[in-house]
């Protein structure tokens, strides 16, 4: 039996009855490694080895090691996400991986992870009571990890993208109206965080942005506010971080009311505690009693407490940002200006997510459309019942005569007279013309018979009673003749 060529590989039967196919391939690190595949028959083992060879010819190397899903997720979090993503992103990914993905998919082989396996995993989570949004987050995190594995040439496809989930419908946000926002500011007056609440409503700032505002970001001479950083808590640590996007770094005008409140805030802070200056929190406009940055969750709790005490409709703290965006729209502020004020990277986010409509806004908009046709609509309402068309239609309906298909049922004719219009006059004239034409034809026949009879008789002794005088041309051409004249004719 001839020996296989170098690199062609080999196929043989194992002691357990399975067939093993092996050959050397190039790995992702550039070295060569012997790949082994197993199957129940020789043909299946040959096909698996042939498939690996086809991928190698296409330039797809094999992994240096056989990864489990759990092992690769740990590697991805530490070597990819922690290095290239923000702390908050890493914190969210880490919780999803630790609580859901590793317990459910960690033992599976990374190279053999399939769509049915991931689909069954997510279906089980939905059956256990997980929300649709929670399942979508699991799929998104797993998809990001598998995409990274594709970049490292460990996988040829991302099976998480092929999984189907129910459609997620987020809860509708109903921002406050102007009256509700005014009532809130009146109720929050006197609260230690009252100035922060005012800035949220005036500028539509995010929670972390208003808590991360520093005195160096407030220019009283130029009357401007510079939004440059935010305060966040990740895995038990509270820190000051840069903004997420470039669009978030924005300059805003310092309004008169906000300037007055900030001046009073600075005067109160001058005599306050100086704790926290070592970590830079002393520069923050809003600090806790101990001088540390304000806890974001405590800020939200203070907002909810004020709403509950004042009896206002309960919304989230972030919904104040929706309220500001909607008020800008109702005031006629261009969408581009609203986008720059709110710090959105895309104008579609401003218009499609943060700006909402209301029944009052719809009524006002449609009222302006109605005002364009108010003159025509009023004239139509005044003249419609008195027109000849509607008069005739009402009369026909009252008399039992309709325009529809005639039915075999009895009809009760009424003496209600219908005032003729131009169309009826034209029909009457046509009937009269047709009658005159028939009459002239009849007279022509009589005249021809008389002439023929006269030619056969002698000319003397003509009976005038049997041969009346022919009708004059003027009488024939009169459009309206009396009944006696018609009888004579």
């Amino acid at each position: 039996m001839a020996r296989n060529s170098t690199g062609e590989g080999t196929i043989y039967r194992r002691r357990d009855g399975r067939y093993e196919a092996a050959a050397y391939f190039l790995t992702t690190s550039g070295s060569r490694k012997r790949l082994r595949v197993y199957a129940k028959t020789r043909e299946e083992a040959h096909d698996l080895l042939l498939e690996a060879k086809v991928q190698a010819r296409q330039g797809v190397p094999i992994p240096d090691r056989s990864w489990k899903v759990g092992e690769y997720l740990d590697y991805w979090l530490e070597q990819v996400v922690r290095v290239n993503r923000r702390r908050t992103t890493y914190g969210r990914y880490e919780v999803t991986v630790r609580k859901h993905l590793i317990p459910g998919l960690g033992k599976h082989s990374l190279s053999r992870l399939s769509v049915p396996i991931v689909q069954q995993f997510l279906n089980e989570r939905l059956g256990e009571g997980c929300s649709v949004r929670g399942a979508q987050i699991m799929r998104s995190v797993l998809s990001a990890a598998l995409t990274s594995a594709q970049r490292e040439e460990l996988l040829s496809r991302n099976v998480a993208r092929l999984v189907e989930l129910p459609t997620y419908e987020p809860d509708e946000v109903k921002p406050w109206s102007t009256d509700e926002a005014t009532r809130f500011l009146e109720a929050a007056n006197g609260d230690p965080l009252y100035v922060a609440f005012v800035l949220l409503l005036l500028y539509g700032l995010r929670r972390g942005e208003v808590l991360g505002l520093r005195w160096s970001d407030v220019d009283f001479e130029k009357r401007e506010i510079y939004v440059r950083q935010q305060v966040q808590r990740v895995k038990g640590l509270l820190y000051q971080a840069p903004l997420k996007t470039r669009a978030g770094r924005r300059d805003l005008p310092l309004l008169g009311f906000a300037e007055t409140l900030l001046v009073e805030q600075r005067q109160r802070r001058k005599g306050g505690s100086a704790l926290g200056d070592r970590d830079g929190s002393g520069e923050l406009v809003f600090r806790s009693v101990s001088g540390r940055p304000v806890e974001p969750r405590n800020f939200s709790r203070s907002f909810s407490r004020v709403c509950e005490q004042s009896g206002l409709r309960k919304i989230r703290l972030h919904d104040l940002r929706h309220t500001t965006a909607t008020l800008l729209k109702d005031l006629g502020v261009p969408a581009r200006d609203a986008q720059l004020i709110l710090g959105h990277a895309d104008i579609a986010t401003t218009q499609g997510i943060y700006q909402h409509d209301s029944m009052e806004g719809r009524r006002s908009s449609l009222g302006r459309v109605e005002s364009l046709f108010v003159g025509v609509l009023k004239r139509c309402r005044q003249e419609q019942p008195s027109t000849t068309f509607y008069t005739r239609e009402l009369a026909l309906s009252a008399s039992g005569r309709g325009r529809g298909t005639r039915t075999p049922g009895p009809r009760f004719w009424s003496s209600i007279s219908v005032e003729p219009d131009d169309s009826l006059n034209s029909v009457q004239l046509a009937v009269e013309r047709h009658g005159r034409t028939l009459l002239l034809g009849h007279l022509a026949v009589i005249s021809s018979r008389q002439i023929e009879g006269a030619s056969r008789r002698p000319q003397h002794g003509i009976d005038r009673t049997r041969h009346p005088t022919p009708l004059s041309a003027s009488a024939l051409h009169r459009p309206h003749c009396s009944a006696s004249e018609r009888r004579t004719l």
Side-chain angles (χ1 to χ4, degrees):
M1 185 176 181
R3 294 174 59 87
N4 294 335
S5 303
T6 303
E8 185 177 356
T10 180
I11 302 176
Y12 57 91
R13 188 172 185 179
R14 295 164 52 91
R15 292 182 180 180
D16 58 2
R18 296 183 301 169
Y19 284 86
E20 178 181 342
Y24 283 94
F25 294 93
L26 189 67
T27 65
T28 54
S29 61
S31 61
R32 295 182 64 84
K33 178 184 176 181
R34 187 174 177 86
L35 176 66
R36 302 175 186 272
V37 293
Y38 305 93
K40 295 181 179 180
T41 63
R42 182 181 180 87
E43 290 75 12
E44 292 179 0
H46 178 267
D47 292 341
L48 292 176
L49 185 62
L50 184 61
E51 182 180 353
K53 290 181 179 181
V54 171
Q55 292 183 356
R57 293 192 187 99
Q58 294 176 352
V60 180
I62 64 173
D64 287 326
R65 51 174 293 188
S66 298
W67 289 91
K68 295 292 185 180
V69 174
E71 296 174 348
Y72 183 77
L73 288 175
D74 290 335
Y75 158 79
W76 172 68
L77 283 174
E78 299 300 325
Q79 302 299 326
V80 178
V81 179
R82 185 185 288 274
V83 177
N84 301 308
R85 300 291 187 272
R86 297 183 303 128
R87 295 184 185 181
T88 53
T89 303
Y90 172 82
R92 291 194 300 268
Y93 284 4
E94 191 274 335
V95 171
T96 303
V97 169
R98 174 169 47 85
K99 289 187 175 181
H100 304 286
L101 296 183
I102 290 182
L105 300 172
K107 297 181 179 180
H108 291 276
S109 173
L110 181 64
S111 59
R112 296 184 180 180
L113 191 64
S114 61
V115 176
I117 294 176
V118 180
Q119 185 74 62
Q120 182 180 0
F121 162 73
L122 294 176
N123 290 343
E124 291 176 354
R125 293 297 179 271
L126 291 173
E128 294 173 357
C130 178
S131 63
V132 176
R133 181 55 182 164
Q136 288 183 345
I137 292 175
M138 297 179 201
R139 182 180 64 176
S140 299
V141 175
L142 179 62
S143 177
L146 297 183
T147 299
S148 178
Q150 282 184 295
R151 295 192 187 100
E152 298 177 4
E153 298 181 323
L154 301 178
L155 296 175
S156 58
R157 64 172 183 164
N158 188 340
V159 297
R161 295 180 179 177
L162 305 177
V163 175
E164 293 186 0
L165 288 175
T167 303
Y168 169 67
E169 297 182 359
D171 296 334
E172 182 181 1
V173 177
K174 295 182 178 180
W176 277 344
S177 63
T178 306
D179 295 337
E180 291 174 318
T182 303
R183 288 173 52 195
F184 168 75
L185 292 180
E186 293 175 352
N189 193 4
D191 190 272
L193 296 173
Y194 170 70
V195 182
F197 293 142
V198 172
L199 295 181
L200 286 179
L201 272 173
L202 285 181
Y203 298 101
L205 299 177
R206 300 175 178 89
R207 180 182 64 177
E209 293 174 346
V210 70
L211 296 181
L213 187 64
R214 298 166 298 190
W215 289 115
S216 59
D217 298 329
V218 182
D219 193 337
F220 290 99
E221 295 182 358
K222 295 183 179 181
R223 300 174 59 84
E224 294 180 354
I225 296 178
Y226 311 116
V227 183
R228 294 293 183 268
Q229 68 169 10
Q230 57 185 335
V231 170
Q232 294 178 333
R233 176 174 287 279
V234 180
K235 301 185 68 173
L237 298 177
L238 196 64
Y239 67 98
Q240 303 176 40
L243 300 178
K244 181 179 179 179
T245 61
R246 183 178 180 181
R249 297 171 57 89
R250 57 197 186 276
D251 302 339
L252 300 173
L254 181 59
L255 304 178
F257 183 56
E259 181 181 6
T260 302
L261 294 178
L262 287 174
V263 170
E264 295 176 356
Q265 178 78 3
R266 185 171 60 175
Q267 292 176 354
R268 287 193 299 266
R269 285 301 179 185
K270 284 183 178 181
S273 175
L275 296 177
D277 291 344
R278 295 180 180 179
D279 58 358
S281 59
E283 282 291 324
L284 295 177
V285 176
F286 304 103
R287 292 178 291 170
S288 63
V289 178
S290 62
R292 309 289 295 178
V294 177
E295 174 66 41
R297 292 184 179 178
N298 291 339
F299 187 36
S300 300
R301 293 189 185 101
S302 299
F303 171 76
S304 301
R305 175 177 49 79
V306 174
C307 294
E308 184 177 357
Q309 292 177 353
S310 59
L312 285 169
R313 178 168 56 89
K314 186 177 180 180
I315 62 173
R316 302 174 304 169
L317 178 64
H318 188 72
D319 292 344
L320 292 181
R321 185 169 166 84
H322 290 254
T323 301
T324 304
T326 304
L327 293 178
L328 290 173
K329 176 186 71 68
D330 295 340
L331 293 173
V333 177
R336 174 60 178 170
D337 294 339
Q339 174 196 357
L340 297 177
I341 293 173
L342 297 173
H344 291 147
D346 189 0
I347 196 172
T349 303
T350 306
Q351 295 180 304
I353 298 178
Y354 283 86
Q355 291 184 339
H356 306 270
D357 62 344
S358 61
M359 185 56 64
E360 290 75 12
R362 297 178 187 179
R363 183 176 289 106
S364 176
S365 301
L366 293 177
R368 291 196 295 268
V369 175
E370 183 187 21
S371 64
L372 299 177
F373 309 101
V374 62
V376 178
L377 295 176
K378 287 183 178 179
R379 185 167 63 253
C380 292
R381 286 194 296 267
Q382 293 174 357
E383 296 180 358
Q384 180 176 353
S386 59
T387 56
T388 307
F389 173 79
Y390 286 99
T391 303
R392 185 174 65 255
E393 289 296 316
L394 292 174
L396 290 174
S397 300
S399 61
R401 285 178 271 182
R403 290 175 171 266
T405 304
R406 185 180 183 89
T407 59
R411 290 184 178 271
F412 299 94
W413 302 96
S414 173
S415 60
I416 297 178
S417 60
V418 180
E419 183 179 356
D421 55 2
D422 295 340
S423 59
L424 294 180
N425 292 332
S426 61
V427 171
Q428 183 178 359
L429 293 176
V431 172
E432 292 180 357
R433 284 196 299 269
H434 184 67
R436 289 197 299 271
T437 302
L438 292 178
L439 181 60
L440 289 174
H442 180 68
L443 292 177
V445 172
I446 294 176
S447 300
S448 63
R449 289 178 181 177
Q450 291 177 354
I451 295 173
E452 182 180 359
S455 61
R456 295 178 182 179
R457 298 172 186 174
Q459 297 296 326
H460 61 278
I462 298 177
D463 190 357
R464 294 293 180 181
T465 59
R466 298 181 57 184
H467 303 282
T469 304
L471 188 67
S472 63
S474 61
L476 290 176
H477 292 283
R478 280 182 294 178
H480 301 285
C481 54
S482 62
S484 60
E485 291 177 346
R486 291 177 183 176
R487 285 194 299 270
T488 305
L489 293 175

